[in-house]
Amino acid sequence: MKIPSYLLHLHPKIKEALSSGKPVVALESTIISHGMPYPDNLSFAKKSEKIACDGGAIPATIGLLKGKIHVGLTDDELEELSVKPAFKTASRDLSYVVSQNLNGATTVSSTLAIAYSAGIKVFATGGIGGVHRGAESSFDISQDIRALERYPLIVVTAGAKAILDLPKTLEALETSGVPVVGYKTKSFPAFYSRSSGIPVPYSLNTVAEIVALFHSHCSLQRSQAVVVANPIAKIEEITSDEIDTIIETALINCGNENISGKNVTPFLLKEIVEMTGGRSLKANIALALNNVRLAVEISKQLKERFRF
Ligand code: PSU
Ligand code: MN
């Protein structure tokens, strides 16, 4: 299923890049509108784009403005999504946000649907959503998992957010048939920390091997995304010893305030920023930029070796 072109506004630089075969990296906007406070979110968004450009790829930040789906945003549009409230738009929310002419920030699930329609192959985020702790009673499993099952892109992520139930998230990814590759690691990264202690199904040490895996994946007509789990740099990490009790306190606060559904992830991220005195925000920014760097290298090699 592809989004018709009259609903998809490709920025001229993205249109040109896609038609002339330049490497393009998709970026989401929920991390900007709901994952980080202003003005750090805006400087992060600009830095992500700069890293992609400096590395030799074209950044395509995805979001909705007045109900129009944009692939590639201007500086003013990035600012608008950083400053003004935007509807947190997962895949199921796209129809609502489009029909109501709203501004929307795309999560991993909607960004995947849109990037796929635009013909983009590589996407960098901070951390994918997954199975929340307590999902056995709340049923809270991110739409990201379903979207990862449907759209064959490479998604670079720092494992999955530590606020989740990581063993269950990995099980859900397996059920969905999503290959999970640890980049230079044998353990699934835990967002703020380098390791969750849970083994990844495969570990690859080079971008060339990741690109080869994706080529085989596409040749085999697999429909799923390939998750590339890229650990945060050692100097930037917050060890699990340190962050675990903070996450537990944030989860208790979440329950006490009756936060549920789509508000859970933004609430927890914000609580953790407050409790760590801003250190988790620094780590979040560092890991997300690290993912953009890797996505740029992947997108370049995909073009060079396979013209993808
Ligand atoms: N990564 C971050 N910060 C974020 C997110 C990811 O570093 O805010 C967002 C992504 O957009 C992801 C979403 O798709 O959180 C998951 O939300 P939920 O758990 O409600 O499905
Ligand atoms: Mn949820």
Side-chain angles (χ1 to χ4, degrees):
M1 194 202 62
K2 286 222 173 191
I3 298 169
S5 55
Y6 71 91
L7 284 174
L8 207 57
H9 288 247
L10 300 183
H11 188 286
K13 71 176 183 195
I14 303 299
K15 210 178 252 178
E16 193 278 323
L18 289 169
S19 60
S20 65
K22 293 192 181 121
V24 176
V25 173
L27 302 166
E28 55 140 320
S29 45
T30 287
I31 187 170
I32 303 169
S33 300
H34 298 272
M36 294 176 189
Y38 179 81
D40 306 80
N41 58 353
L42 181 58
S43 68
F44 160 76
K46 288 189 172 163
K47 243 183 238 165
S48 302
E49 296 215 338
K50 187 170 184 319
I51 285 172
C53 293
D54 291 351
I58 312 295
T61 305
I62 292 177
L64 290 99
L65 293 155
K66 297 196 185 71
K68 300 278 177 286
I69 299 173
H70 287 251
V71 178
L73 298 175
T74 63
D75 280 356
D76 284 351
E77 290 165 348
L78 270 185
E79 181 148 3
E80 183 160 349
L81 289 180
S82 305
V83 181
K84 286 198 204 158
F87 198 91
K88 181 177 165 188
T89 310
S91 45
R92 76 153 170 181
D93 306 305
L94 281 167
S95 332
Y96 172 74
V97 174
V98 167
S99 63
Q100 291 287 315
N101 304 316
L102 301 178
N103 280 3
T106 55
T107 66
V108 168
S109 63
S110 53
T111 306
L112 273 169
I114 296 164
Y116 173 75
S117 279
I120 299 171
K121 303 284 185 214
V122 185
F123 166 26
T125 180
I128 55 169
V131 183
H132 281 262
R133 300 189 196 185
E136 55 275 28
S137 56
S138 69
F139 273 44
D140 191 349
I141 300 174
S142 176
Q143 286 164 75
D144 291 358
I145 300 282
R146 290 289 168 88
L148 289 164
E149 187 170 335
R150 288 189 58 180
Y151 302 107
L153 274 83
I154 294 185
V155 179
V156 184
T157 170
K161 282 191 275 292
I163 54 174
L164 300 170
D165 184 322
L166 294 181
K168 287 195 182 70
T169 298
L170 278 165
E171 291 294 346
L173 288 168
E174 179 179 350
T175 304
S176 294
V178 176
V180 177
V181 179
Y183 179 61
K184 295 185 179 169
T185 180
K186 290 189 162 56
S187 153
F188 193 57
F191 202 63
Y192 303 119
S193 353
R194 285 180 57 78
S195 167
S196 64
I198 311 162
V200 277
Y202 345 98
S203 165
L204 297 175
N205 290 324
T206 63
V207 170
E209 288 169 291
I210 292 172
V211 166
L213 182 146
F214 189 64
H215 182 251
S216 302
H217 186 76
C218 296
S219 305
L220 293 163
Q221 309 277 307
R222 305 295 302 155
S223 62
Q224 299 84 354
V226 169
V227 165
V228 174
N230 185 31
I232 184 171
K234 195 157 180 46
I235 43 160
E236 315 274 12
E237 83 167 330
I238 309 179
T239 59
S240 51
D241 288 351
E242 204 182 331
I243 200 81
D244 282 354
T245 47
I246 290 173
I247 292 173
E248 272 153 35
T249 311
L251 284 161
I252 292 167
N253 297 347
C254 190
N256 289 343
E257 296 197 27
N258 284 320
I259 309 283
S260 63
K262 66 191 284 185
N263 299 322
V264 169
T265 297
F267 176 87
L268 290 174
L269 291 174
K270 193 164 159 273
E271 286 280 292
I272 295 166
V273 170
E274 278 164 26
M275 282 189 273
T276 58
R279 272 185 67 212
S280 70
L281 176 61
K282 264 192 76 191
N284 196 345
I285 291 171
L287 67 84
L289 297 178
N290 194 34
N291 293 342
V292 177
R293 269 178 222 111
L294 179 57
V296 165
E297 291 314 309
I298 292 172
S299 70
K300 287 198 301 189
Q301 285 206 28
L302 265 181
K303 280 288 171 208
E304 281 160 21
R305 295 189 45 203
F306 300 113
R307 307 215 159 277
F308 268 23

